[in-house]
Amino acid sequence: MQGNCGLFFESYRAEAGVFQTGFQRLSLGLFVAVLLACPLVLDTYYLSVLNLMCIAVIGAASLNLLTGVCGQISLGHGAFIGVGAYAAAQATLNGVPFLAALLLGGGAAALVGMFFGVPSLRLKGIYLAIATLAAQLILEYVFLHWEGATGGSRGLMLDPPQILGFVFEGERRMFYLLFAVAACVLMIVTNVMRTRHGRAFVSIRDYYLSAEIAGVNLFAYKLAAFGLSSFLAGVAGGLWAHYTMFLSGEQFGIGLSISYLAMIVIGGLGSILGSVMGAVFMTLLPEVLTAATRSLTGVFPDISSQLAALREGVFGLTLMLFLIFEPEGLANRWRLIKAYWKLYPFAH
């Protein structure tokens, strides 16, 4: 039970609840209502940014489950997203309904992720990161040279997704599809973290020897983390494929894996809210840089030609600053802000 002040609980079930107060439910409901109304007032460009955010949220949440919750560092997440994208694309090209193709893409990514997750029993830390980097490079080679499945350098062309005869063409219709899938993925990851399996993931991350002594099967749970994370990454890839309606191997390079890793570091490792914040931050950062470049064109006419190099430099600088000054990410800063106003005007 919660006390009158809403700060105390009598059971672990109440403390682990997704919504601990009615205010949280109301706030989330209003936020979702605003998001659902956005396609009615925003133009195509801003809707495309929102759609990219939804896909990024799915990918960031899946990687955070593996790296932030279970502690298994992965530098191959972009490639797992690519596996899901190509598998879902081939399924729809061969007449499989979109939703089934999306699940098939997630299943294919899960199998590949679990295969490359086998070394996680023996490898930890930087060594596991190097193993997943090898997976990234291997899969990049497959994407570019297996022309029968991926189209090679020519890529693949797709049609808009279709569910029960309703075609999701255009940014407005795609937003509702992407938003619905992103919400489902966030609910899945949130509830996984509240189960005993989620607590097993956290115990492996915190200290694997204690987890093993407590009866946690390290190999099974590490494989499960790779499988579930890769499945959700494959779903993100399937959505990306049908949103862009074109696939090429260059889209799933090491840069994409680094971007998703930056999202969860900036947002907050092991936090669902951090996954959302990091995805939003990293999606908006290029847009902010582009807007700043346009405003400075009159003063520095050649700055547009240097935008690509400037963008990479800003990404690196942003990640470095977060690691130094806010290592627990934006989600932790948001918790501190809420705690401050909850106890205001008292300092402690």
Side-chain angles (χ1 to χ4, degrees):
M1 180 185 76
Q2 290 184 315
N4 294 331
C5 62
L7 298 176
F8 305 103
F9 305 92
E10 285 186 350
S11 67
Y12 289 113
R13 181 183 297 274
E15 186 176 7
V18 178
F19 303 107
Q20 297 177 353
T21 64
F23 179 75
Q24 291 180 344
R25 296 188 186 92
L26 178 61
S27 300
L28 181 61
L30 292 175
F31 179 70
V32 171
V34 170
L35 283 180
L36 292 177
C38 283
L40 304 177
V41 296
L42 296 180
D43 60 18
T44 303
Y45 173 75
Y46 290 108
L47 280 178
S48 68
V49 175
L50 279 178
N51 289 336
L52 292 176
M53 284 182 189
C54 291
I55 297 174
V57 164
I58 298 172
S62 64
L63 180 58
N64 219 343
L65 181 64
L66 177 65
T67 301
V69 178
C70 195
Q72 308 303 298
I73 302 175
S74 174
L75 292 177
H77 210 65
F80 300 149
I81 291 175
V83 171
Y86 279 112
Q90 284 293 343
T92 53
L93 288 174
N94 286 280
V96 179
F98 171 71
L99 291 179
L102 203 61
L103 296 177
L104 286 173
L111 291 176
V112 173
M114 292 174 71
F115 175 78
F116 286 106
V118 170
S120 65
L121 179 63
R122 298 287 183 181
L123 302 178
K124 301 174 182 66
I126 188 64
Y127 302 103
L128 179 60
I130 293 173
T132 57
L133 177 60
Q136 171 74 41
L137 299 177
I138 292 170
L139 291 173
E140 279 187 44
Y141 181 86
V142 172
F143 296 156
L144 289 175
H145 294 86
W146 191 7
E147 295 192 4
T150 66
S153 58
R154 293 178 289 105
L156 294 176
M157 297 292 295
L158 299 172
D159 294 325
Q162 182 176 342
I163 300 177
L164 299 176
F166 185 83
V167 181
F168 290 87
E169 56 182 353
E171 300 290 347
R172 182 169 287 105
R173 292 184 177 184
M174 280 300 300
F175 170 77
Y176 290 111
L177 174 63
L178 296 174
F179 178 77
V181 178
C184 290
V185 168
L186 291 177
M187 286 191 293
I188 289 171
V189 176
T190 299
N191 283 285
V192 166
M193 292 177 61
R194 296 169 62 225
T195 64
R196 63 186 181 89
H197 305 294
R199 291 190 290 271
F201 290 159
V202 173
S203 68
I204 294 173
R205 178 198 67 189
D206 290 344
Y207 194 53
Y208 68 95
L209 288 178
S210 297
E212 189 173 25
I213 292 172
V216 175
N217 187 327
L218 296 185
F219 185 56
Y221 274 104
K222 286 181 179 180
L223 271 189
F226 268 96
L228 181 56
S229 173
S230 300
F231 176 85
L232 298 177
V235 170
L239 292 172
W240 168 262
H242 290 85
Y243 172 63
T244 61
M245 294 186 291
F246 176 74
L247 287 179
S248 65
E250 293 82 2
Q251 295 172 337
F252 309 106
I254 183 63
L256 183 63
S257 297
I258 297 298
S259 295
Y260 276 107
L261 193 60
M263 288 179 193
I264 64 173
V265 171
I266 290 174
L269 291 171
S271 168
I272 302 301
L273 179 61
S275 302
V276 177
M277 287 183 166
V280 171
F281 184 91
M282 290 299 292
T283 305
L284 288 179
L285 185 58
E287 306 302 326
V288 173
L289 290 178
T290 302
T293 302
R294 290 172 181 170
S295 63
L296 294 174
T297 302
V299 182
F300 304 100
D302 298 330
I303 194 172
S304 58
S305 62
Q306 303 174 1
L307 176 62
L310 177 64
R311 179 179 299 178
E312 299 300 326
V314 172
F315 282 170
L317 178 62
T318 302
L319 184 58
M320 183 176 65
L321 291 176
F322 267 93
L323 289 173
I324 295 174
F325 298 106
E326 196 63 70
E328 296 186 36
L330 293 172
N332 180 65
R333 178 55 51 185
W334 175 243
R335 284 193 294 268
L336 294 177
I337 292 173
K338 288 195 300 181
Y340 173 83
W341 287 107
K342 184 181 291 186
L343 299 176
Y344 184 84
F346 304 102
H348 301 286

